[in-house]
Amino acid sequence: MLSRIAESLFWIGRYIERSDGTARILDVYLQLLLEDIFVDEDTACRALLGVMGNDAPPEHKLTRADVISALATDRMNTASIAYSVRASRENARRAREIISTELWEVLNTTYTGMPHRVGGEKVHELFSWVRERAALAAGLADSTSSRDDAWRFFTLGRAIERADMTARLLATRALTEASGPSWTTILRSVGAYEAYLRTYRGVPSSTNAAEFLLLDRLFPRSIMFSLTLAEHCLRDIDPQRERIGYQDHAVRMLGRIRAELEFRPIAEIIEELPHIMDRVQSTTTDVSNAVRERYFPTHNMPAWMGGQS
């Protein structure tokens, strides 16, 4: 497979998952601002922007409208839903000969339907629409793709991004523990509430809910499931031939963070939740960079020097 095609598929998966995850996080946080009158809007908005990798000027008092503009409809902000929708469509255009017609049409229609601005009363409707479009795109990719390297790169991108977005969602809870969204709200935001009830058969507690979203091996939106899926994709793309250890740097990084979570008591993880979620996010970034360096080596492009290539 050409590296440019593999790279486009990888980023289609990442951007589809990023638009979905950002919509879920925004929905939880903005719902919290509506329901809890004791939450300081400026503080909550700054915390949310910080978790999503955006900094706001200290002299400007932030409102819900500022967050919606920055993280939902701003097409120039790389952390926004609109940017992710556009980027997934552009990468699909580059890989048009590989992806199915159905997937291309969904991504193209989502791009043309993404609004440039949205009123306060339409915000939650927008987030629901984005989640539905992301689910449709992911479902079509799964149902119309052969289980070859093309599908593996797409799924690898989704798995890495999902681990990152779930970590960011848990980080929003850790930053505002006293007045943050309830665990029930967080579970519902990722579609985990019913699965949680079937597993624990009780009202969500901080320990059980965190354990479910962090460590559950069967729930597809847990960090553990996503990290394991990413590992499997990398091993299938380049099967292990050595008898000892792993040569793939990305696999080693995924294995280290997975083992740190898997073999650590949940009480210790919750106690250091902000720090550990930062570790997960930095690891997903490092893994993405390692994958790019190995499989998408843009630095190997021909260079012109003194009239010769």
Side-chain angles (χ1 to χ4, degrees):
M1 177 183 293
L2 295 175
S3 63
R4 66 173 179 84
I5 298 296
E7 184 175 20
S8 292
L9 292 167
F10 175 79
W11 283 105
I12 292 171
R14 288 207 67 169
Y15 281 122
I16 288 174
E17 197 63 39
R18 186 174 299 178
S19 63
D20 177 83
T22 303
R24 292 177 185 277
I25 291 173
L26 286 175
D27 208 10
V28 167
Y29 236 73
L30 296 179
Q31 189 65 35
L32 171 67
L33 291 176
L34 287 175
E35 293 176 352
D36 193 341
I37 61 174
F38 298 104
V39 174
D40 180 69
E41 186 171 9
D42 179 67
T43 302
C45 289
R46 289 183 186 279
L48 177 56
L49 287 174
V51 165
M52 300 303 293
N54 280 230
D55 294 321
E59 67 278 2
H60 178 57
K61 187 174 178 62
L62 296 179
T63 64
R64 294 173 68 250
D66 295 323
V67 171
I68 294 168
S69 175
L71 297 180
T73 58
D74 186 351
R75 282 162 166 73
M76 302 306 294
N77 185 355
T78 56
S80 75
I81 295 171
Y83 184 95
S84 295
V85 168
R86 183 182 69 176
S88 63
R89 186 256 189 189
E90 286 303 304
N91 279 282
R93 185 175 59 81
R94 297 188 187 101
R96 184 65 188 87
E97 66 270 31
I98 297 295
I99 66 172
S100 66
T101 299
E102 290 89 345
L103 177 58
W104 163 251
E105 289 176 348
V106 165
L107 294 176
N108 196 43
T109 303
T110 305
Y111 168 73
T112 58
M114 185 68 199
H116 288 266
R117 62 183 63 86
V118 60
E121 70 282 356
K122 296 288 186 179
V123 170
H124 299 292
E125 183 179 315
L126 170 64
F127 297 152
S128 296
W129 178 76
V130 170
R131 294 199 302 268
E132 289 171 1
R133 300 302 295 183
L136 180 57
L140 281 172
D142 278 343
S143 62
T144 61
S145 300
S146 298
R147 293 318 191 245
D148 53 11
D149 282 349
W151 179 83
R152 293 185 187 106
F153 275 110
F154 174 83
T155 305
L156 174 63
R158 287 188 65 207
I160 291 174
E161 190 66 33
R162 180 169 287 183
D164 179 83
M165 297 308 291
T166 302
R168 291 178 190 272
L169 180 60
L170 291 173
T172 64
R173 169 70 187 184
L175 285 173
T176 55
E177 182 67 33
S179 58
S182 68
W183 284 107
T184 297
T185 301
I186 289 177
L187 289 168
R188 287 188 184 279
S189 74
V190 297
Y193 186 67
E194 288 76 13
Y196 171 89
L197 291 180
R198 288 197 299 272
T199 303
Y200 289 91
R201 302 185 183 280
V203 176
S205 66
S206 59
T207 299
N208 290 345
E211 184 177 63
F212 187 71
L213 292 177
L214 280 164
L215 305 177
D216 193 273
R217 296 188 183 95
L218 302 181
F219 183 66
R221 288 193 176 276
S222 77
I223 292 177
M224 182 60 62
F225 186 100
S226 300
L227 295 175
T228 303
L229 178 59
E231 277 190 81
H232 288 166
C233 287
L234 284 170
R235 292 176 185 176
D236 289 341
I237 290 169
D238 185 15
Q240 176 72 11
R241 295 180 177 88
E242 294 78 13
R243 293 175 61 178
I244 299 174
Y246 291 95
Q247 299 301 314
D248 191 326
H249 187 43
V251 172
R252 291 202 303 270
M253 287 189 289
L254 286 169
R256 280 199 297 267
I257 191 66
R258 178 182 54 77
E260 181 180 341
L261 292 172
E262 198 164 21
F263 295 99
R264 194 170 184 180
I266 186 61
E268 292 183 11
I269 296 177
I270 293 177
E271 187 176 340
E272 301 180 28
L273 192 58
H275 170 69
I276 294 176
M277 292 304 95
D278 285 342
R279 285 279 313 280
V280 172
Q281 292 172 52
S282 63
T283 297
T284 57
T285 300
D286 293 340
V287 168
S288 182
N289 291 335
V291 169
R292 187 187 68 239
E293 287 293 321
R294 180 169 187 183
Y295 295 105
F296 323 134
T298 55
H299 56 277
N300 288 338
M301 294 293 288
W304 290 88
M305 298 179 61
Q308 297 180 341
S309 62

